[in-house]
Structures are given as C-alpha cells and as structure tokens.
Amino acid sequence: MSLTRRLILSFAIILLFALLSIITHVWGNAVRSEKFSELQAVILDQNGVREFGQSLDVMHKKMRVIQTLHQAGDEMPISASEASEQIVAIRGMRARHQLLQERLLDSLGQADLVGVDRLLQFWLQYLVQMLGDTSEPLPQTVEAAPEYAAVMQSLVERELALVRRAAEINTALNQAVTMTNRIAMGTFLLSLLVTVALALHIVSFTRRSISILHRGTEQWGSGKLEYQVPPLHGELGQLAESFNHMARNLRTAMNEVKAASARADAASQAKSSFLANMSHELRTPMNAIIGYSEMMIEEAGDDDTVTVAEFVPDLEKVLSAGQHLLALINDVLDISKIESGKMTVYNEDTDLNRLMDEIIVTVQPMVDKNRNKLVYNNNLADQRTSTDVTRFRQISLNLLSNAAKFTRDGAISVTLSDVVADGKNLIEVSVRDTGIGMSAEQIEQVFEAFIQADLSTTKEYGGTGLGLTISKKFAQLLGGDITVESEVGKGSCFTFRLPRNAPVSVRRANRALAGLERAHNARVLVVDDNEAAQEISLRLLRQAGFEVMIASSGTEAIATATEKQPDVIILDVMMPEMDGWQVLESLRDAQSTRDIPVIIQSMVNEREMGDMMNVDAYMVKPVDKEQLLTTVRGVLAHRADAVDAP
C-alpha cells in the first residue's frame, strides 16, 4: 500500500474515533440532561405540594375564624368584599389542585389527593351562602366537610413519595454520569491507542523506505553507480525509481565524460604529434631552401664564371621545397577555415574529362616515384557539369597522392561513373590502390584531423594527417561525401561522390572585381555622438572613395538609414538617449533596414554581445586607417559574396 493511502486510511480511522468520541459525549450529555430535567420536575412538584399544603392550612385557619365569629352571633363576620376575595382564593386553589393532580400523575403515576375537592367545595359553598347568594341556611360547622386531617395526611404522603422519587432519579443520574464518563474515557483511550499505533506504523514504514533510499545514495556517493534501489510501494517507490533512473543517467553521463575525456586526450596527443610532425615537415623544405640558397650564394661568390643555367637545378629544388612548404601551410589554413565555417564554395561549368587529365598529369610524377601504374577510366555519359573546380581538384589530388604515397610497385586506378542515390544524380570518383591498406580501427580515425594510421606511418611516409580530413570536409561542402573500404596488406578504395550540375556561382575574379567596385562607390553611414570621431571617419572614408553620411544620435541614424539606405553602417555603442545596441535592434526589426550590414565601433570590447546581435564586424577604438578601411571593404565584399551566392 502506498504512503498516501496509508495516511488517508490513518486519518479516516482517527476521524472515525473522533466522531465516536463526539457521539459518546453528545449521548452522555443527553442522558444527563434528561435525568436532570426529570429531577428538576420532581423537585418542582415537591415544592408545589408543600406550597399547596401551606395555602390549604392558611385557608383552613381563616375559615375556622369566620365560623367561630358566626357561631358567636355575628351574622356577617366578614365584609362582602372580604368574602369575595376568599371565594376567588378558593377557586384559585381549586385550579392549582387540578394542575397539581396532573403533575403528580406525570411524576408518580398517581394523582388522588383524598378529600381536597370536597373540602374546597364546602368552603366555597359556605362563603357563597354567607353572602346571601342562596336561600339555604349556612352550615353550622365546617367539620361537616371531609376531615381536614385526612387531606393534610394525603399531601404529606404525596410529598414523601416525591422525595423518594427525587432520590431515585438522583441515583440514576449519578449512574448515567459515571457510565457516560467511562464510555467517553474508554473511547478516548482507544482513539489515542489507535492513533499512536498508526503513527508508529507510518513512521516505521517511512523510516524503512528512507533507509533504503539512503543506502542507495551512500552507494552512489561512493561511486557505485550500478547499484539499484530495491522496489518500494507507492510514492516512495516512484521516488526510488526516479533515483534509479538518475543513477542510470549519471552512469551514462560519467561513461560519456570518460569517453569524451579519452577522446580529448587522444585529440591532444594527436595534436601534439601533429605539431611535432609539422615542425619536422616545415623544417625539411626550409632546410632545403636555406641550404641551396647558401650554396648558390657561395658558388656565385667563389666563381665568377658560373652561368645562370648552372643554378637552374638548385633553383628548381628551392622552388620544389617552397611549393611543398606552401602546400603544408595551405593545408593548415584550409582546416582552420573549415573549422571556423569560413570556407565557401564557387561552382562553375567545367569538363570533367579535361579536368581529370590535368589532375593525372599533376600526380603522375608521384605515381612514377614509387614505381606504380596508374589506370584512368571515365564512364560518364556527360562530361559537362558544374562544381567547384578548385575543391574538386584538391580532393582528387589528395586521394591520388595518398594512393601513390602508400603504394609501392603496385597499381592505382581512378574511375568516374554516373550513379543515382536517394533519387539524386551523382558523379562518383573512385580511387583504388594496392598499397598497405588499413585496419578497422584505423578506418574509424582516418578522416579525423591530425591523425594518421600510426606514428610509424608518419615517420615512414610523412605528411600532416590533414589531407583526408580536408578532402572529406570539401566533399561535404560540395554536397557529397567520401567513404572508404580497406584491408590491411591489400589496399584501399576511396569513393568520392558529388551532385551533378550544382547551381553555378559567379567566378571568383568577377566577384572580387564587383566587390572592389561596390566598395569604391559604397555609401557609408557613420553614427557617433562625438564630433572628433565623426571628422576622423569622414576624412578617412572619403579619401578611400566612399560616400559618407553622418548621424549624431540613434534617432537620426534610424531615420537616415531608412531614407538613404546606406551600403554599410558604422555604429558607435556609447551614445545618449539610445545606445548602439538599441539602434541595432531597431534597424534589425525594420523590414527596410534589417539587411544593411552593421559594423560596431566602441571603446568597450563587447564582441560576445556583437556575436549575439549578429553584427557584421566589431572594432575597438581607437581604430587606425588600415583597420577601418580593411574592415569596411571586407564587410562589403562578404555581403557581395552573399548576394551572388546561389
């Protein structure tokens, strides 16, 4: 049973016992109230009988006085008014007697007061005759009525009976009070016992569950993330499952962190090896350049008869070493551009058969150096296509040069074919060799930067470990990819696929010329509240051939940009009323100005803020002439590329 259900059941039981206690208390009060009311009624009846007896005794004495006077010869012992008052009193006593009869009937079950009615009737008749209301003679004596003593005796007996009844009721009341108190106390003690038992049960259940959870947290805290909390019931069971899920996620995350750490260590080691290898690779051509240059200087100084033709072999070696050094530097620059996302693609129409002929001529000396045989097969139905010629040539040269480098006295084949994949027409370039091949582990790392098969490969064959990485990145930029199949000792097959007839871009030379033309005629809006800064920017930009507009505030800048539509805006950040970031946000929100490139110029270096606001460039004051013009021209040229790009 869940903790919630246990608590609800406990509360229900406690409420039930509380209700039982209330009912017992109410019932006890009702019983006591009933007995007390009955006792009060008996006491009232007792007082009523006593008071009635006293009234009867007073009336009896008055009637005896009247009789005595009458017997003494006084025909009218009392006045008529006094007689009338006594008559009224006697009639009132008769009414009281009737009411007393009814109350005695309720209290004792009997109501016969012997002779009262006859005695009262006799007194009434006597007084009426005395007033002359009847012709009958007055009775000679009051004792002709029922015996007064018998009446009083009857009243005394009824009063004693009421006293006994009151005693009985009082005893019953005490018994009821005792019984109800016992029942209430028993109910209270039972409720208390049940409440304590339920509380102990809840505490025991909760403590046991929390102890299990605590044991799990101790295990996880000690690093045993594989530990799982045993199943529990209800909400604590859900909590335990959440803890187990958290431990599983934490274990997975720890494994990922360890794997990432291992990869980082491997990458660090790879970069360290790359730097060491790059140092060696750079020194080799530099040594050749310096060595042959020194030799030619010495030969030219020692022998005046040496002709220029004799320097040609050495110059060719210097040229070769310089070209090799340039290739190394270009590889590093290319991977840097790729990783920063600044590498662009320029597609143009080309003849692949002629392009491949040029590539094969270039790579043929490398093939011949290791005594390999190169076979070229072109199975394309249409030799014309559009692609980035430079990237295509670089990819193909990298694949072929790798095949020539790692193959000796073997065969290399390059095949061009038309393929269809995922409904797309593709061109496939396959480079196969019979070289040293690679293992499955080496294939997994072959396209990672700075990594070759192993250190022995680097030492024996040289290279930076960037060629295949660059090639794969270029292939992906062209909309394709490179895959590899290989077996140790049998060779490798690299397959390069790219889409056929990619959209054509404007040639690089034409774009550069257009960019220069746009930069020369461009309109620049300078936004700065400082007049000296305005004057400096105005002079430098006008000397460079730009048309310059000035705005001294954010509001003026927005109005000018909306009306004049400048080619680029140089925006200061620290301005009154609206700062540069607010102006930039307003420009980006407006349809007419959102595409205008913006260069931020500020005394504070907030490049991260600039990146968040997607500015085109960021300059920190003071800005010199070269930096200002270079930045403006660069932004305009980049925007021209973006406009011309497909």
Side-chain angles (χ1 to χ4, degrees), residues 368-387:
D368 296 338
K369 179 180 179 181
N370 287 339
R371 302 174 301 280
N372 295 316
K373 181 181 179 182
L374 177 61
V375 178
Y376 168 52
N377 299 308
N378 191 329
N379 301 322
L380 296 176
D382 183 6
Q383 302 298 326
R384 302 295 302 180
T385 189
S386 59
T387 188

mmCIF file of all heavy atoms in Angstrom, residues 368-387:
data_model
loop_
_atom_site.group_PDB
_atom_site.id
_atom_site.type_symbol
_atom_site.label_atom_id
_atom_site.label_comp_id
_atom_site.label_asym_id
_atom_site.label_seq_id
_atom_site.Cartn_x
_atom_site.Cartn_y
_atom_site.Cartn_z
ATOM 1 N N ASP A 368 54.939 7.683 -60.479
ATOM 2 C CA ASP A 368 56.154 7.093 -61.029
ATOM 3 C C ASP A 368 57.253 6.952 -59.975
ATOM 4 O O ASP A 368 58.090 6.038 -60.057
ATOM 5 C CB ASP A 368 56.658 7.947 -62.191
ATOM 6 C CG ASP A 368 55.656 7.959 -63.344
ATOM 7 O OD1 ASP A 368 54.828 7.017 -63.412
ATOM 8 O OD2 ASP A 368 55.686 8.911 -64.141
ATOM 9 N N LYS A 369 57.258 7.864 -58.981
ATOM 10 C CA LYS A 369 58.315 7.841 -57.965
ATOM 11 C C LYS A 369 58.337 6.522 -57.219
ATOM 12 O O LYS A 369 59.422 6.008 -56.879
ATOM 13 C CB LYS A 369 58.098 9.004 -56.997
ATOM 14 C CG LYS A 369 59.116 9.081 -55.878
ATOM 15 C CD LYS A 369 58.832 10.251 -54.959
ATOM 16 C CE LYS A 369 59.840 10.320 -53.819
ATOM 17 N NZ LYS A 369 59.559 11.451 -52.901
ATOM 18 N N ASN A 370 57.187 5.925 -56.953
ATOM 19 C CA ASN A 370 57.112 4.638 -56.240
ATOM 20 C C ASN A 370 56.862 3.470 -57.179
ATOM 21 O O ASN A 370 56.419 2.396 -56.749
ATOM 22 C CB ASN A 370 56.000 4.698 -55.187
ATOM 23 C CG ASN A 370 56.367 5.547 -53.985
ATOM 24 O OD1 ASN A 370 57.549 5.784 -53.734
ATOM 25 N ND2 ASN A 370 55.359 6.018 -53.253
ATOM 26 N N ARG A 371 57.144 3.703 -58.460
ATOM 27 C CA ARG A 371 57.058 2.644 -59.457
ATOM 28 C C ARG A 371 55.662 2.011 -59.511
ATOM 29 O O ARG A 371 55.502 0.803 -59.576
ATOM 30 C CB ARG A 371 58.110 1.560 -59.184
ATOM 31 C CG ARG A 371 59.542 2.107 -59.183
ATOM 32 C CD ARG A 371 60.540 1.044 -58.774
ATOM 33 N NE ARG A 371 60.265 0.521 -57.437
ATOM 34 C CZ ARG A 371 60.615 1.146 -56.317
ATOM 35 N NH1 ARG A 371 61.227 2.328 -56.378
ATOM 36 N NH2 ARG A 371 60.345 0.610 -55.150
ATOM 37 N N ASN A 372 54.653 2.874 -59.500
ATOM 38 C CA ASN A 372 53.273 2.404 -59.585
ATOM 39 C C ASN A 372 52.726 2.616 -60.978
ATOM 40 O O ASN A 372 53.244 3.418 -61.757
ATOM 41 C CB ASN A 372 52.388 3.155 -58.581
ATOM 42 C CG ASN A 372 52.773 2.866 -57.144
ATOM 43 O OD1 ASN A 372 53.010 1.712 -56.791
ATOM 44 N ND2 ASN A 372 52.839 3.913 -56.306
ATOM 45 N N LYS A 373 51.626 1.910 -61.285
ATOM 46 C CA LYS A 373 50.949 2.046 -62.560
ATOM 47 C C LYS A 373 49.585 2.671 -62.326
ATOM 48 O O LYS A 373 48.824 2.225 -61.470
ATOM 49 C CB LYS A 373 50.787 0.680 -63.220
ATOM 50 C CG LYS A 373 50.091 0.742 -64.582
ATOM 51 C CD LYS A 373 49.943 -0.648 -65.170
ATOM 52 C CE LYS A 373 49.222 -0.594 -66.529
ATOM 53 N NZ LYS A 373 49.031 -1.951 -67.086
ATOM 54 N N LEU A 374 49.263 3.754 -63.059
ATOM 55 C CA LEU A 374 48.010 4.473 -62.879
ATOM 56 C C LEU A 374 47.093 4.189 -64.058
ATOM 57 O O LEU A 374 47.494 4.319 -65.229
ATOM 58 C CB LEU A 374 48.267 5.980 -62.782
ATOM 59 C CG LEU A 374 47.034 6.877 -62.670
ATOM 60 C CD1 LEU A 374 46.232 6.552 -61.417
ATOM 61 C CD2 LEU A 374 47.438 8.351 -62.671
ATOM 62 N N VAL A 375 45.857 3.770 -63.768
ATOM 63 C CA VAL A 375 44.850 3.476 -64.794
ATOM 64 C C VAL A 375 43.678 4.436 -64.596
ATOM 65 O O VAL A 375 43.156 4.572 -63.473
ATOM 66 C CB VAL A 375 44.366 2.013 -64.702
ATOM 67 C CG1 VAL A 375 43.291 1.752 -65.748
ATOM 68 C CG2 VAL A 375 45.529 1.048 -64.854
ATOM 69 N N TYR A 376 43.256 5.090 -65.673
ATOM 70 C CA TYR A 376 42.171 6.069 -65.614
ATOM 71 C C TYR A 376 41.014 5.574 -66.465
ATOM 72 O O TYR A 376 41.175 5.261 -67.650
ATOM 73 C CB TYR A 376 42.664 7.421 -66.120
ATOM 74 C CG TYR A 376 41.571 8.440 -66.366
ATOM 75 C CD1 TYR A 376 40.624 8.731 -65.388
ATOM 76 C CD2 TYR A 376 41.486 9.126 -67.590
ATOM 77 C CE1 TYR A 376 39.635 9.671 -65.599
ATOM 78 C CE2 TYR A 376 40.506 10.063 -67.815
ATOM 79 C CZ TYR A 376 39.572 10.330 -66.806
ATOM 80 O OH TYR A 376 38.593 11.256 -67.035
ATOM 81 N N ASN A 377 39.798 5.478 -65.873
ATOM 82 C CA ASN A 377 38.583 5.048 -66.571
ATOM 83 C C ASN A 377 37.514 6.118 -66.389
ATOM 84 O O ASN A 377 37.180 6.492 -65.270
ATOM 85 C CB ASN A 377 38.055 3.727 -65.999
ATOM 86 C CG ASN A 377 39.062 2.595 -66.140
ATOM 87 O OD1 ASN A 377 39.572 2.335 -67.228
ATOM 88 N ND2 ASN A 377 39.355 1.926 -65.022
ATOM 89 N N ASN A 378 36.958 6.590 -67.487
ATOM 90 C CA ASN A 378 35.914 7.608 -67.455
ATOM 91 C C ASN A 378 34.656 7.028 -68.094
ATOM 92 O O ASN A 378 34.591 6.834 -69.306
ATOM 93 C CB ASN A 378 36.363 8.861 -68.196
ATOM 94 C CG ASN A 378 35.410 10.030 -67.964
ATOM 95 O OD1 ASN A 378 34.213 9.842 -67.763
ATOM 96 N ND2 ASN A 378 35.933 11.245 -68.006
ATOM 97 N N ASN A 379 33.637 6.732 -67.256
ATOM 98 C CA ASN A 379 32.395 6.125 -67.748
ATOM 99 C C ASN A 379 31.219 7.100 -67.705
ATOM 100 O O ASN A 379 30.072 6.678 -67.711
ATOM 101 C CB ASN A 379 32.049 4.889 -66.897
ATOM 102 C CG ASN A 379 33.152 3.847 -66.945
ATOM 103 O OD1 ASN A 379 33.770 3.620 -67.993
ATOM 104 N ND2 ASN A 379 33.412 3.202 -65.806
ATOM 105 N N LEU A 380 31.522 8.393 -67.642
ATOM 106 C CA LEU A 380 30.449 9.382 -67.557
ATOM 107 C C LEU A 380 29.751 9.527 -68.901
ATOM 108 O O LEU A 380 30.401 9.575 -69.960
ATOM 109 C CB LEU A 380 31.008 10.743 -67.124
ATOM 110 C CG LEU A 380 31.615 10.829 -65.727
ATOM 111 C CD1 LEU A 380 32.203 12.219 -65.508
ATOM 112 C CD2 LEU A 380 30.566 10.526 -64.675
ATOM 113 N N ALA A 381 28.417 9.615 -68.859
ATOM 114 C CA ALA A 381 27.654 9.820 -70.094
ATOM 115 C C ALA A 381 27.806 11.253 -70.583
ATOM 116 O O ALA A 381 27.796 11.518 -71.784
ATOM 117 C CB ALA A 381 26.181 9.488 -69.865
ATOM 118 N N ASP A 382 27.937 12.201 -69.650
ATOM 119 C CA ASP A 382 28.083 13.610 -69.999
ATOM 120 C C ASP A 382 29.258 14.157 -69.207
ATOM 121 O O ASP A 382 29.259 14.131 -67.964
ATOM 122 C CB ASP A 382 26.796 14.365 -69.656
ATOM 123 C CG ASP A 382 26.861 15.833 -70.075
ATOM 124 O OD1 ASP A 382 27.859 16.220 -70.725
ATOM 125 O OD2 ASP A 382 25.916 16.584 -69.729
ATOM 126 N N GLN A 383 30.262 14.679 -69.937
ATOM 127 C CA GLN A 383 31.467 15.180 -69.278
ATOM 128 C C GLN A 383 31.265 16.571 -68.682
ATOM 129 O O GLN A 383 32.024 16.989 -67.807
ATOM 130 C CB GLN A 383 32.636 15.225 -70.287
ATOM 131 C CG GLN A 383 32.955 13.881 -70.916
ATOM 132 C CD GLN A 383 33.401 12.856 -69.894
ATOM 133 O OE1 GLN A 383 34.050 13.209 -68.909
ATOM 134 N NE2 GLN A 383 33.044 11.587 -70.118
ATOM 135 N N ARG A 384 30.202 17.271 -69.123
ATOM 136 C CA ARG A 384 29.981 18.619 -68.630
ATOM 137 C C ARG A 384 29.192 18.568 -67.310
ATOM 138 O O ARG A 384 28.219 17.822 -67.163
ATOM 139 C CB ARG A 384 29.185 19.446 -69.646
ATOM 140 C CG ARG A 384 29.820 19.578 -71.027
ATOM 141 C CD ARG A 384 31.105 20.348 -70.990
ATOM 142 N NE ARG A 384 30.928 21.683 -70.438
ATOM 143 C CZ ARG A 384 31.922 22.568 -70.302
ATOM 144 N NH1 ARG A 384 33.172 22.214 -70.642
ATOM 145 N NH2 ARG A 384 31.706 23.758 -69.802
ATOM 146 N N THR A 385 29.610 19.372 -66.347
ATOM 147 C CA THR A 385 28.900 19.506 -65.082
ATOM 148 C C THR A 385 29.298 20.825 -64.449
ATOM 149 O O THR A 385 30.182 21.533 -64.961
ATOM 150 C CB THR A 385 29.210 18.339 -64.124
ATOM 151 O OG1 THR A 385 28.331 18.406 -63.008
ATOM 152 C CG2 THR A 385 30.644 18.419 -63.624
ATOM 153 N N SER A 386 28.667 21.165 -63.340
ATOM 154 C CA SER A 386 29.037 22.380 -62.623
ATOM 155 C C SER A 386 29.424 22.009 -61.196
ATOM 156 O O SER A 386 28.689 21.300 -60.520
ATOM 157 C CB SER A 386 27.865 23.374 -62.607
ATOM 158 O OG SER A 386 26.727 22.802 -61.984
ATOM 159 N N THR A 387 30.592 22.460 -60.788
ATOM 160 C CA THR A 387 31.092 22.189 -59.444
ATOM 161 C C THR A 387 32.187 23.192 -59.128
ATOM 162 O O THR A 387 32.587 23.991 -59.988
ATOM 163 C CB THR A 387 31.615 20.748 -59.331
ATOM 164 O OG1 THR A 387 31.922 20.468 -57.961
ATOM 165 C CG2 THR A 387 32.876 20.555 -60.171
#
